[in-house]
Amino acid sequence: MLIKTRGIVLSYIKYRETSIIARVYTERLGVQSYVVNGVRKAKPPGRIALFQPLTQLELVAYTSRTGGLTRLSEFRCAEPYRNLPYDVQKSSVALVLSEILSHTVKEEEENEPLFQFLHDSLLAFDQQESGTENFTLTFLLQLAHYLGFGAERGEEITTQVAFAATLHTNQSGGPAVLRLQEFDHYFDELLRDPAHAAVPNGRIRRELLAVLIRYYQLHVEHLGEVRSLAILSEVLAE
């Protein structure tokens, strides 16, 4: 059976000599893995570019009642990005977000609000010409709500991270906990009015992201280390 759906590429791995297995978050079927034949051939050129992280596609896909790998009958770029693939900073953010999404979005079922959030957020990020420094933070704060562990106040985030750190080190608070509490008002601003949130510099931005990633690790089983996170050092620079 064939089904037509929009999809957002999460990742792919090489498969045999010229093919790939692409992991795609689809509008109608949730997360799916597809064998895509021949996209690594020299001709026609450029087809592998359609499966770069967070590319938005229109798909005609085979479905299976038993699940597992299926194949794509047709695919094309649904809404081409203008800047994201060519801007080093934006493409670095896309790489990090695709890695996080690959570990956090796992359901093989339709979730229209989540798909629309991803679709709209990524297109807006691509088109935004300035003021994108806090996008990673605001995206992850908003995504957490769709995943079921969104915070209403910054204190919820820092308290949980501090408590986990205390358990891990067998300590009863101290300077590390106090340091986390200094981030409460930044998270409050990002949650309340992300367009006007004031994060003073790249150092604090990196620290906030580290806290937020730790918060995700507390709620998402097997999230582990986000390997591409180091790439954001330039994006979140002073």
Side-chain angles (χ1 to χ4, degrees):
M1 175 180 174
L2 289 171
I3 187 169
K4 185 176 181 179
T5 182
R6 295 185 295 174
I8 299 171
V9 177
L10 299 179
S11 62
Y12 74 83
I13 59 173
K14 295 178 181 179
Y15 179 67
R16 297 181 175 172
E17 292 186 4
T18 62
S19 302
I20 62 172
I21 296 175
R23 199 158 180 265
V24 183
Y25 186 64
T26 70
E27 183 176 20
R28 296 183 61 184
L29 301 170
V31 176
Q32 297 290 310
S33 293
Y34 298 113
V35 175
V36 190
N37 293 321
V39 291
R40 292 168 51 220
K41 292 180 179 177
K43 295 181 180 181
R47 299 185 79 205
I48 191 64
L50 294 177
F51 293 91
Q52 297 307 304
L54 305 185
T55 302
Q56 306 211 26
L57 301 176
E58 286 187 1
L59 310 171
V60 178
Y62 291 97
T63 60
S64 170
R65 293 181 180 178
T66 59
L69 284 174
T70 55
R71 296 180 181 272
L72 293 181
S73 173
E74 301 175 27
F75 57 90
R76 71 178 186 87
C77 186
E79 296 175 85
Y81 295 127
R82 296 185 304 179
N83 300 307
L84 196 153
Y86 316 108
D87 183 300
V88 173
Q89 293 184 340
K90 287 186 176 183
S91 61
S92 298
V93 170
L95 189 62
V96 172
L97 295 184
S98 66
E99 181 179 351
I100 294 173
L101 287 169
S102 292
H103 287 91
T104 57
V105 179
K106 301 178 180 180
E107 291 77 12
E108 297 182 5
E109 58 186 30
E110 181 178 358
N111 185 336
E112 174 61 26
L114 175 56
F115 183 88
Q116 201 62 46
F117 162 72
L118 297 177
H119 171 275
D120 294 348
S121 297
L122 294 171
L123 286 179
F125 179 53
D126 172 65
Q127 296 166 10
Q128 191 172 352
E129 296 182 356
S130 62
T132 61
E133 297 86 356
N134 294 333
F135 175 79
T136 308
L137 295 170
T138 58
F139 179 92
L140 292 177
L141 287 169
Q142 293 169 11
L143 175 64
H145 284 277
Y146 291 93
L147 299 177
F149 55 88
E152 298 298 330
R153 296 181 300 136
E155 184 182 8
E156 297 175 42
I157 298 171
T158 59
T159 298
Q160 291 183 41
V161 172
F163 181 70
T166 300
L167 289 179
H168 181 70
T169 59
N170 294 317
Q171 296 177 354
S172 58
V177 173
L178 293 175
R179 176 61 175 151
L180 284 171
Q181 292 174 345
E182 295 176 12
F183 297 144
D184 287 354
H185 70 282
Y186 294 123
F187 283 125
D188 285 340
E189 288 188 17
L190 289 163
L191 286 163
R192 184 171 56 248
D193 189 9
H196 299 96
V199 179
N201 55 56
R203 177 182 60 80
I204 292 178
R205 198 170 287 114
R206 289 191 295 271
E207 291 178 317
L208 291 171
L209 182 57
V211 173
L212 193 49
I213 293 296
R214 180 60 183 139
Y215 178 72
Y216 263 69
Q217 291 168 337
L218 295 175
H219 289 273
V220 179
E221 189 176 8
H222 306 309
L223 174 57
E225 178 186 3
V226 180
R227 297 181 179 181
S228 56
L229 193 58
I231 298 172
L232 279 183
S233 59
E234 179 181 352
V235 177
L236 303 179
E238 299 290 342

